[in-house]
Amino acid sequence: MSSSAIQDRTPQADCTIGLVGLGLIGGCLALDLKRLGYTVYGVARRRATVTAALEQGIVAQAGCDLALLSQAAVVFVCTPMAVIVPTVGQLAEHVSESTIVTDVGSVKGEIVAAATTLWPNFVGGHPMAGKAESGLAAAEVGLFYQRPYVVTPVEATRSTAVEQVVEIATQLGSYVHTTTPDIHDRAVAAISHLPVMVSASLLHACLSETDTQVRTLAQQLASSGFCDTSRVGGGNPELGTMMAQYNRPALLQALKHYRGQLDSVIEQIEAERWNDLEEKLAIAQQERPKYL
Amino acid sequence: MSSSAIQDRTPQADCTIGLVGLGLIGGCLALDLKRLGYTVYGVARRRATVTAALEQGIVAQAGCDLALLSQAAVVFVCTPMAVIVPTVGQLAEHVSESTIVTDVGSVKGEIVAAATTLWPNFVGGHPMAGKAESGLAAAEVGLFYQRPYVVTPVEATRSTAVEQVVEIATQLGSYVHTTTPDIHDRAVAAISHLPVMVSASLLHACLSETDTQVRTLAQQLASSGFCDTSRVGGGNPELGTMMAQYNRPALLQALKHYRGQLDSVIEQIEAERWNDLEEKLAIAQQERPKYL
């Protein structure tokens, strides 16, 4: 991606954006928002991160205290998922009534419900971008460019707050989708969290082959098909577990849909219903391009 | 791959190799074997294929009659799987007692058992190479270079016949693995046929989401993870069905291993046994590099 995708802009008067958490996502937001002309203030837990952000010049001011963000018009909470709701609660003691608080968590249901109670001017968000590396050092301009950014208001969410978050996401160059937390969580369960479990189970199915000659030969013969199907199952275990924890009901529903489909494949092969199996595989072939 | 991987060699005296079936695999074998100095005769079902093979000069002689191969030292049966055993039976009427007959079918158990009965000098083989296109027109030099080639003798197979097939596979530049038909079939079930069913079931799980808003958003948000995990499930339905038909017992066993693992993931998420789930995902992460 060209770094010119996010253009330098003239300063947006009186619009200070606060970031809580200066890891990969917070760091990338800081870089892009600065280029967009916003005044960016950052709060990080660790002093070393604060120093690094200031030295790199990606924030106008930074510190470890949320009081720094008292004048911010919009605050993005970019902490790990477990800390998002407590952070919103703490922010409520420092920011003004008009401040919009939004987050970047990858599951929305529980977070939006709890955060909206703590701060009525909260808008759930999920920029769907990332990279293998984490932390501020991995931050780069344009991470969100041409990537989905899901905004998940609930009935109580003020429309002006939603519009403000959508506007910023649009300025980042993201494809903005506005939907409910529930629809978001079910969609990401299907296309992101379910594949992790499906793919990890494939690696375990191979491991549960007790004949070492079979297992060794399988390892020697595996090629691109196995490599691709097992890729997301071989990813970060903490991240996979966290997704399951936070999106448990939607993921369980998706896993049950999946098990039903798998059982149907097994039944077709057991009963040698080859026409039915071929039809099922033909439907899969037709469906896949819709997701590309 | 550089076409120089298979070097032109001086003719191998008195060694005529016959090919039955001049599709992608037969065509690629013809090109490589000619470069290796063998005299290659080809038999195809369709007259147009015979003409094309002769015009392209990839075979010394070609025709539609198996009698053409009466003097061949080795015959590769490169037909579709369903026709391999009948072809071996027909070849038996034409070739001499010393002729080694081998095949390129991707499942070995039933084929090797039946073909060995029809022709004692039969050696099962499986060159694990391919490309998206099929047919003689897609043939290229070096398709088997640095790819696995599994040779699957049984107790009755003559060791000289096995050695001859292994020698040719080695000359093609393949990585040769010698094992039993059963071990071969269980290994390819795990790394090739199971992933197709696992991956197709993922596409069907998404399709079985009845809420169209969820399904539409899932399609819009799907990215590289879903793309990779669903790739082999969106492949050729006829090929997937044929694999299941020919490798039914091994594939069913692999599917049951897989379902057991999937059930265990579901149980862990249902019971919120997060440490167990994280450990499972960590094992998957450790296992995957063994298959790359």
Side-chain angles (χ1 to χ4, degrees), chain B residues 233-248:
Chain B
N236 185 326
E238 285 173 49
L239 206 62
T241 306
M242 199 181 62
M243 295 305 158
Q245 276 181 283
Y246 281 86
N247 208 13
R248 184 170 168 273

Side-chain angles (χ1 to χ4, degrees), chain B residues 151-271:
Chain B
V151 179
T152 60
V154 289
E155 214 167 312
T157 317
R158 289 180 202 161
S159 61
T160 49
V162 179
E163 285 158 18
Q164 175 74 290
V165 174
V166 167
E167 190 188 331
I168 295 171
T170 306
Q171 289 169 345
L172 294 170
S174 299
Y175 300 126
V176 183
H177 302 272
T178 305
T179 190
T180 67
D182 178 59
I183 290 174
H184 167 274
D185 288 355
R186 288 160 68 188
V188 296
I191 55 95
S192 176
H193 308 159
L194 175 61
V196 169
M197 303 305 156
V198 160
S199 177
S201 298
L202 176 62
L203 286 158
H204 277 274
C206 292
L207 193 57
S208 63
E209 167 61 67
T210 50
D211 187 320
T212 53
Q213 283 184 284
V214 174
R215 217 160 70 211
T216 304
L217 186 64
Q219 289 166 1
Q220 289 165 336
L221 301 185
S223 68
S224 61
F226 189 85
C227 173
D228 282 2
T229 318
S230 67
R231 184 173 70 78
V232 297
N236 185 326
E238 285 173 49
L239 206 62
T241 306
M242 199 181 62
M243 295 305 158
Q245 276 181 283
Y246 281 86
N247 208 13
R248 184 170 168 273
L251 177 56
L252 277 174
Q253 188 58 54
L255 277 163
K256 281 165 188 176
H257 281 156
Y258 181 80
R259 185 166 56 180
Q261 293 301 327
L262 185 76
D263 284 346
S264 142
V265 167
I266 293 172
E267 279 163 33
Q268 287 170 348
I269 297 173
E270 269 175 344

Side-chain angles (χ1 to χ4, degrees), chain A residues 35 82 93 121 171:
Chain A
R35 285 203 163 203
E93 297 166 22
N121 221 6
Q171 288 169 347

Side-chain angles (χ1 to χ4, degrees), chain B residues 4-23:
Chain B
S4 64
I6 303 294
Q7 301 290 334
D8 288 306
R9 304 244 183 126
T10 49
Q12 310 225 359
D14 296 331
C15 194
T16 298
I17 293 188
L19 300 172
V20 186
L22 293 170

Side-chain angles (χ1 to χ4, degrees), chain A residues 178-199:
Chain A
T178 304
T179 190
T180 67
D182 177 59
I183 290 173
H184 167 274
D185 288 355
R186 286 160 68 189
V188 297
I191 55 98
S192 176
H193 308 159
L194 176 62
V196 170
M197 304 306 156
V198 160
S199 176

